[in-house]
C-alpha cells in the first residue's frame, strides 16, 4: 500500500499516533521498527521454562492520573488491581520504601509519631541547613539528613550512576520523598494496574486496525527498503521516534544515556523473594535491584516449582547499547538545543517519544504527548492542510 503517514518506531508513542491516524482520519499508516517485535521498551514475552511474563526491557508498571490517557488505554486492555510496592535491603535487613514511617521507625528502632519523625529528620537535615550544596551527596544530606541518606540513597544512587555521589551534580535530585505515615504505595497516581493479558496483547491490539501496516526488522536508515529516510522524507509525512542525534548523523555530537544490563535466571524455587522488586541499597552488592516478575500477576495460575528473576546492573551506555535514561549533562543540553533547531527545520518530519525528544517519559506521558501531537499537528494537517511541523 502507499502510505499517507510513515511512523518510525512501534513504541507507545508511535502506536498511539498510528492508531489515531488510522481510526480517526482513515489514513493508511506504515509503522516500521528495527526490532523484531512491536511495543518498544514496554514489550514483554513469556519466559519458556516457567511460562512467566517477563518485561524484556525492565519492569513496566502502568500508572496515571490523566483521565484522557486512562480512558484511551482502556480501549485496548483491562487492568489488574496490582499496586506497586518496593522494598530495600540495607545491612541485612529489609525495609519498606520509599522512606516512610515504617522505614524510619525500623531504622531508628523507635516508635515515633509522624510529628516526632518530622522533627527528627528536620534536625538531622539541619547539618547542612543554609548551605548551597554543590554535589548530590551534600544535597541528599540537606534534604533528609545523613543517616537515612547514607543508608537508602547514597550507595543506590552511586550504583545507578557508577559514580560517587560526591562527584554527581546536586541538580540530579530536587527532592527525596519521605512520608510521615505508613503509606508505602510506590506511585501516587489515581489509576494503577498491569494489563490483564500482558503488555504485548495490549500493544498488538493498538496496531490491529486494517489501515496499519507494521514492518518489523526494518531500520529507517537502511536504504534497502521502500520506507527508508532516503525514500520517504520530503515525500510522505513522517513521525520519527528513534534517537534524535542518530537522525542527524550525530552532527552535534552524541547525546549520553545510561543503560541497564539484565541478568536473568530461572530458579528451582516457587518464590524467591516474596515480592516483585527488592532494591539492594548497599555498596557491597553490585546490582541495584532484583525483579521477580511472577509477583506482578498474583492472580495468574503460574507454576509453583520454578520462578524467574532479573538482576539489574546500571551503567553508562556506549554506542550500540540500549539507551534507557538520558544523562542530561550541561553538555547534553547544549547539543539537544542544536538538535531541536535542526528538527524544527526538518519540514515533513515530527519528532516524538522518549528517544526523539531525549526525555525520560513514563508510558502514560508518552501516550499523552502522542495524543497531543495528533490533535495539534497531525489532524490539522490532514483535515485543513496546515503545515506538518
Ligand atoms: P520506545 O523506546 O518504547 O520506542 C521507540 C521504538 O523506536 C523502539 O521500538 C525502537 O526499536 C524504534 N526505533 C528506534 N530507532 C529506529 C530506527 N532507526 N528504525 C526503526 N525503528 C527504530 N514507564 C512507566 O510508565 N512505568 C514503568 O515502570 C517504566 N519502567 C521503565 C523501565 C526502564 C528500564 C525504562 C528504560 C523505561 C521505563 N518506562 C516506564 C518508560 C517506558 O519504557 C516509555 O514510556 C516508553 O517506552 C516510551 O515509548 P516510546 O514510543 O517513546 O519509546
Amino acid at each position: 500500500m502507499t502510505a499517507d503517514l510513515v511512523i518510525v518506531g512501534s513504541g507507545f508513542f508511535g502506536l498511539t499516533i498510528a492508531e489515531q491516524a488510522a481510526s480517526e482520519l482513515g489514513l493508511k499508516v506504515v509503522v516500521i521498527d528495527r526490532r523484531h517485535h512491536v511495543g518498544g521498551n514496554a514489550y514483554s514475552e513469556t519466559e519458556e521454562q516457567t511460562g512467566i511474563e517477563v518485561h524484556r526491557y525492565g519492569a513496566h508498571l502502568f500508572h496515571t492520573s490523566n483521565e484522557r490517557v486512562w480512558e484511551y488505554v482502556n480501549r485496548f486492555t483491562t487492568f489488574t488491581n496490582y499496586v506497586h510496592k518496593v522494598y530495600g535491603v540495607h545491612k541485612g535487613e529489609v525495609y519498606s520504601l520509599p522512606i516512610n514511617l515504617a522505614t524510619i521507625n525500623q531504622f531508628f528502632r523507635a516508635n515515633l509519631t509522624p510529628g516526632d519523625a518530622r522533627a527528627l529528620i528536620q534536625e538531622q537535615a539541619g547539618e547542612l541547613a543554609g548551605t548551597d550544596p554543590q554535589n548530590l551527596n551534600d544535597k541528599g544530606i540537606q534534604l533528609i539528613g545523613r543517616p537515612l541518606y547514607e543508608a537508602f540513597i547514597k550507595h543506590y544512587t552511586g550504583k545507578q550512576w557508577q559514580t560517587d555521589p560526591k562527584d554527581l551534580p546536586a541538580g540530579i535530585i530536587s527532592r527525596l520523598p519521605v512520608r510521615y505515615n505508613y503509606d508505602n504505595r510506590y506511585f501516587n497516581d489515581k489509576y494503577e494496574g498491569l494489563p490483564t493479558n500482558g503488555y504485548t496483547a495490549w500493544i498488538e491490539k493498538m496496531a490491529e486496525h486494517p489501515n496499519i501496516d507494521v514492518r518489523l526488522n526494518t531500520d529507517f536508515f537502511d536504504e534497502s527498503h521502500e520506507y527508508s529516510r532516503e525514500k520517504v522524507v520530503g515525500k510522505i509525512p513522517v513521525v520519527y521516534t528513534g534517537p534524535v542525534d542518530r537522525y542527524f548523523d550525530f552532527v552535534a555530537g552524541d547525546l549520553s544515556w545510561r543503560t541497564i544490563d539484565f541478568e536473568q535466571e530461572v530458579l528451582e524455587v516457587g518464590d524467591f523473594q516474596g515480592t516483585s522488586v527488592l532494591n539492594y541499597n548497599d555498596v557491597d552488592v553490585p546490582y541495584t535491584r532484583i525483579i521477580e516478575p511472577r509477583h506482578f500477576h498474583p492472580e495468574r495460575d503460574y507454576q509453583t516449582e520454578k520462578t524467574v528473576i532479573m538482576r539489574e546492573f546500571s551503567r553508562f551506555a556506549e554506542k550500540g547499547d540500549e539507551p534507557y535514561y538520558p544523562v542530561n549533562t550541561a553538555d547534553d543540553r547544549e547539543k539537544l538545543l542544536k538538535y531541536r533547531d535542526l528538527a524544527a527545520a526538518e519540514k515533513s518530519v515530527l519528532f516524538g517519544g522518549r528517544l526523539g525528544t531525549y526525555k525520560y517519559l513514563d508510558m502514560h506521558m508518552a501516550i499523552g504527548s502522542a495524543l497531543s501531537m495528533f490533535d495539534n499537528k497531525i489532524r490539522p494537517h490532514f483535515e485543513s492542510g496546515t503545515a506538518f511541523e
Side-chain angles (χ1 to χ4, degrees):
M1 84 179 181
T2 316
D4 300 311
L5 178 65
V6 171
I7 296 175
V8 182
S10 67
F12 272 121
F13 193 96
L15 283 187
T16 300
I17 301 271
E19 189 282 328
Q20 288 283 279
S23 66
E24 293 280 314
L25 304 177
L27 299 181
K28 293 190 171 117
V29 186
V30 167
V31 180
I32 64 167
D33 204 295
R34 64 179 174 194
R35 289 177 174 163
H36 72 278
H37 58 74
V38 284
N41 277 11
Y43 169 75
S44 70
E45 61 195 6
T46 304
E47 195 288 320
E48 274 183 14
Q49 293 180 58
T50 58
I52 293 171
E53 181 184 352
V54 168
H55 301 171
R56 178 52 40 224
Y57 303 94
H60 274 68
L61 296 315
F62 189 79
H63 56 97
T64 188
S65 295
N66 182 320
E67 297 289 344
R68 182 174 183 208
V69 168
W70 183 241
E71 183 279 316
Y72 181 71
V73 298
N74 273 275
R75 293 185 202 171
F76 311 103
T77 178
T78 54
F79 287 84
T80 67
N81 58 7
Y82 177 82
V83 173
H84 193 47
K85 295 192 173 159
V86 172
Y87 296 86
V89 181
H90 168 62
K91 290 200 174 152
E93 270 186 63
V94 176
Y95 291 86
S96 162
L97 294 174
I99 299 172
N100 61 73
L101 205 45
T103 330
I104 294 170
N105 275 328
Q106 182 182 351
F107 185 75
F108 292 110
R109 295 281 183 269
N111 66 346
L112 304 174
T113 65
D116 297 339
R118 201 181 285 274
L120 176 70
I121 304 311
Q122 211 166 9
E123 182 197 319
Q124 293 180 341
E127 181 184 338
L128 292 183
T131 62
D132 181 19
Q134 293 304 304
N135 61 59
L136 193 147
N137 198 67
D138 291 352
K139 181 80 180 263
I141 294 168
Q142 194 187 58
L143 286 170
I144 61 170
R146 188 181 291 274
L148 289 176
Y149 164 75
E150 289 190 343
F152 298 108
I153 310 293
K154 181 176 177 169
H155 303 296
Y156 192 84
T157 310
K159 287 195 281 189
Q160 278 183 316
W161 292 90
Q162 285 192 304
T163 307
D164 186 326
K166 286 189 179 124
D167 299 323
L168 288 170
I172 290 179
I173 46 170
S174 54
R175 54 183 290 275
L176 289 171
V178 175
R179 296 182 188 160
Y180 295 102
N181 57 34
Y182 290 91
D183 174 13
N184 70 334
R185 270 186 67 163
Y186 197 77
F187 300 115
N188 292 317
D189 279 316
K190 182 167 175 191
Y191 304 108
E192 172 173 5
L194 288 168
T196 312
N197 297 319
Y199 278 97
T200 297
W202 167 10
I203 287 155
E204 283 174 351
K205 185 101 179 144
M206 288 180 78
E208 210 177 59
H209 195 287
N211 280 13
I212 301 177
D213 175 6
V214 179
R215 303 188 176 198
L216 300 174
N217 301 305
T218 305
D219 192 312
F220 192 47
F221 303 104
D222 169 3
E223 286 170 26
S224 69
H225 63 89
E226 59 187 308
Y227 292 106
S228 66
R229 171 172 62 178
E230 188 92 327
K231 296 192 186 110
V232 298
V233 171
K235 299 181 188 87
I236 305 174
V238 174
V239 173
Y240 175 83
T241 74
V244 63
D245 52 359
R246 170 68 189 89
Y247 184 94
F248 295 106
D249 299 316
F250 307 101
V251 279
D254 293 31
L255 294 167
S256 54
W257 293 84
R258 280 192 297 126
T259 192
I260 297 175
D261 295 320
F262 299 103
E263 195 183 274
Q264 185 171 315
E265 200 181 342
V266 172
L267 303 173
E268 305 286 327
V269 55
D271 190 349
F272 172 71
Q273 62 186 19
T275 191
S276 50
V277 179
L278 199 55
N279 288 0
Y280 284 82
N281 295 79
D282 296 340
V283 73
D284 53 329
V285 177
Y287 38 87
T288 50
R289 57 182 194 169
I290 296 183
I291 309 288
E292 188 174 9
R294 71 174 312 121
H295 295 291
F296 289 137
H297 289 283
E299 79 288 358
R300 287 186 189 165
D301 199 13
Y302 285 140
Q303 61 147 299
T304 53
E305 290 78 43
K306 289 182 186 174
T307 193
V308 55
I309 60 166
M310 288 163 105
R311 294 186 186 83
E312 293 190 1
F313 300 82
S314 185
R315 63 179 172 82
F316 286 98
E318 287 165 22
K319 265 221 155 52
D321 285 328
E322 290 294 345
Y324 280 165
Y325 299 103
V327 176
N328 211 4
T329 60
D331 190 38
D332 286 321
R333 287 194 290 275
E334 218 166 280
K335 290 175 192 166
L336 184 60
L337 290 178
K338 292 186 188 144
Y339 285 124
R340 280 198 190 141
D341 286 345
L342 289 167
E346 192 75 352
K347 306 297 173 198
S348 89
V349 181
L350 292 173
F351 293 78
R354 61 180 201 100
L355 300 167
T357 56
Y358 187 65
K359 230 188 237 164
Y360 178 80
L361 299 174
D362 270 328
M363 291 178 279
H364 68 107
M365 296 157 84
I367 293 165
S369 99
L371 290 171
S372 300
M373 181 187 276
F374 178 78
D375 288 349
N376 300 330
K377 302 198 167 175
I378 293 172
R379 187 191 280 279
H381 172 74
F382 284 99
E383 281 185 348
S384 328
T386 57
F388 194 81
E389 57 185 359

